[in-house]
Amino acid sequence: MDGLITVEHLHKSYRISKRGKGIPGMLANLVAPKYEKKDAVKDISFQIAEGEMVGFIGPNGAGKSTTIKMLSGILYPDSGQILVDGKVPYRQRKQYVGNIGVVFGQKSQLQWDLPVIDSFELLKAIYRIPDQTYKRNLARFTEMLDMQEFLKQPVRQLSLGQRMRADIVAALLHDPKIVFFDEPTIGVDVVGKETIRTFIRELNAQDQITMLFTTHDMQDIEKTCKRLLIIDQGNKVYDGALSGIREMYGTTRTLDLELQTEVQVAPIPHVTISRPDDSNPRKWQLQFDHHAVSVQELMGFLLATYPVRDLNISEPEIESIIRNIYGGRQSE
Amino acid sequence: MQSDTIHLIGVYLKTTAKAWFQYRVDAIMRSLAVFLREATGVVVIYLTLMKFQDLNGWNVYEMLFLCSLLFLTYGILIIFFTGLRDFGNTVRKGEFDRYLLRPRGLLFQIIFVNADWFAAVGHGCLGISLFLVTAGKVGVVWNVGTVLYYLFAVLGGVLIQGAIFLLLAALNFYLLETDSLKELLYYDMKKFAAYPISIYSKVIQICMIYVIPFAFVNYFPAQFFLRKQDGAVYPFACLYLTPVVGGGVYLLAYLFWRYSIRYYKSSGN
Ligand SMILES: Nc1ncnc2c1ncn2[C@@H]1O[C@H](COP(=O)(O)OP(=O)(O)OP(=O)(O)O)[C@@H](O)[C@H]1O
Ligand SMILES: [Mg+2]
């Protein structure tokens, strides 16, 4: 199956004008433009199949929002190709955007002064949503997201979590085939986040809606996406299964060891040994790459050599793996 | 227009009105403020003109007739072009994103989301009453031809000013801000246009005819009715060109706008 979304060698830079304001600055700008160029997206390619749900992550300023804006037809790329559902977003804007939904967690699309339901009614007219579809979707989504009690409340009176849920529904009323979420959980509390994740997961499973999901919370990704796309400084650094990332980057294992007596643990090849707790000299921590050191042999050796009271092996949290991937470039 | 487009305009209107009435006092105060401010403006013009008695052959009423065209066209203009007039803010805040995400025409949305009906009523009433009073005083003869001429002249005048707003709006895709440019290209020109252009230096006259054709908004249409002596130096055809100039410059501005959208940068968060 070919990709529903195909992105090839996408590049986008922002030109930040260095001239001042006012007529003099403006004239200077027209005569001799002075820009600072900032490559937000350098060279990104990927494909997403219909019905897929992809986590899209990267550190601040990596170029995620810029990519989403190009995918949704807001920005023109400098070079490269985007084809979504057979259309070029920025060229066939009017036909295209009726098929997609976009949620920018940082920017609400609701009418600030009006009740939530009024914004929905407006969207119904804008997207030419048939009565039946509108009623069905509204009933279904408000039920799923538990929004009944604040539908008639002005948006400015809503909590952040409530506003976010309303914004998500606003992006879905017209039955989009593809939805881009740019930080739809930002600022939302734990319970609210869980509600949103469950909703997104169910929607993807039941309606086969294709989704791209940007967030800084790895729990969001772990609970919703199977596939992960990581970008950093405008380049793609990982594209594959969420589980695969452990194989690739998370090969470090941590072995926590507690001995019955105060014995010194002697150096072992390829293993970093440290004492995690100064107040307890019987506790040791061993770190190693599980491709370089066999867990089985190491454990056998430890049990045979030392008076072991307790032993525990842990895999790294996906969170810290990601942190390492991001951090890796700084040490390079 | 299709029926669903008209329906949407209705929903936009309802939404705007509803938002207004959340702050009822505000809304009423605002339209009152617009009316008073503009009315004061008219009084000031009247008093100033009284002093001159006669300016290049134009008497007070003839000059108020000239001004009435400015008020009237502006009244119509701000129904449709408020969104473009204030487009700089929309771009700087990244709010143009939302327009781009809707399956509707961009200008259509900008116009009808921001249509300022309250202010329009203020400006329009003033323009019409000023026009009715002065048209009688300057002896305009009404027949089918002059009525048609007048309607087309108003339309052309709206388009000329609309084109300036549209041009400025498109420039926001390139420049950090366009407020000072708007002051120069629009508001200063409009102030000049309150008087017969023949009182100005050659440079300003040429500018108002060929560069920013404000003279076609009110001077030439007024001359069509009044035929004052000072107008003899300009090509006779100018009297009839307002709708053509309006359509022409609007088309140019529109093409420039269409081309410039690709340079929209949105905004970081
Ligand atoms: N409108 C803009 N004008 C100029 N520079 C911009 C603009 N938008 C983003 N940038 C710059 O481009 C780079 C990428 O920004 P982008 O918003 O795409 O990052 P992001 O991955 O979404 O980051 P975050 O996680 O903070 O949301 C950043 O360096 C940012 O400063
Ligand atoms: Mg972002």
Side-chain angles (χ1 to χ4, degrees), chain B residues 30-46 64 67-68 70-72 74-75 78 85 118-130 186-187 190-191:
Chain B
R30 215 172 56 102
S31 37
L32 200 68
V34 168
F35 189 84
L36 286 180
R37 190 188 65 209
E38 296 307 319
T40 327
V42 175
V43 172
V44 169
I45 293 173
Y46 183 74
L64 281 176
C67 284
S68 75
L70 281 183
F71 280 104
L72 200 61
Y74 193 73
I78 54 172
R85 187 191 61 195
F118 269 79
V121 168
H123 284 278
C125 286
L126 210 63
I128 289 172
S129 32
L130 199 60
Y186 186 76
Y187 291 105
K190 196 174 156 193
K191 274 181 213 142

Side-chain angles (χ1 to χ4, degrees), chain B residues 127-198:
Chain B
I128 289 172
S129 32
L130 199 60
F131 164 72
L132 289 178
V133 171
T134 52
K137 296 265 187 191
V138 299
V140 172
V141 182
W142 292 114
N143 54 42
V144 179
T146 49
V147 169
L148 271 180
Y149 176 89
Y150 193 81
L151 291 179
F152 273 102
V154 168
L155 176 72
V158 171
L159 284 178
I160 290 170
Q161 297 172 75
I164 299 175
F165 282 164
L166 189 54
L167 169 78
L168 287 164
L171 282 173
N172 279 296
F173 296 129
Y174 306 91
L175 303 170
L176 290 178
E177 56 100 33
T178 53
D179 287 350
S180 37
L181 199 62
K182 184 159 58 188
E183 203 60 45
L184 183 77
L185 292 189
Y186 186 76
Y187 291 105
D188 287 349
M189 287 300 146
K190 196 174 156 193
K191 274 181 213 142
F192 286 143
Y195 302 94
I197 59 165
S198 58

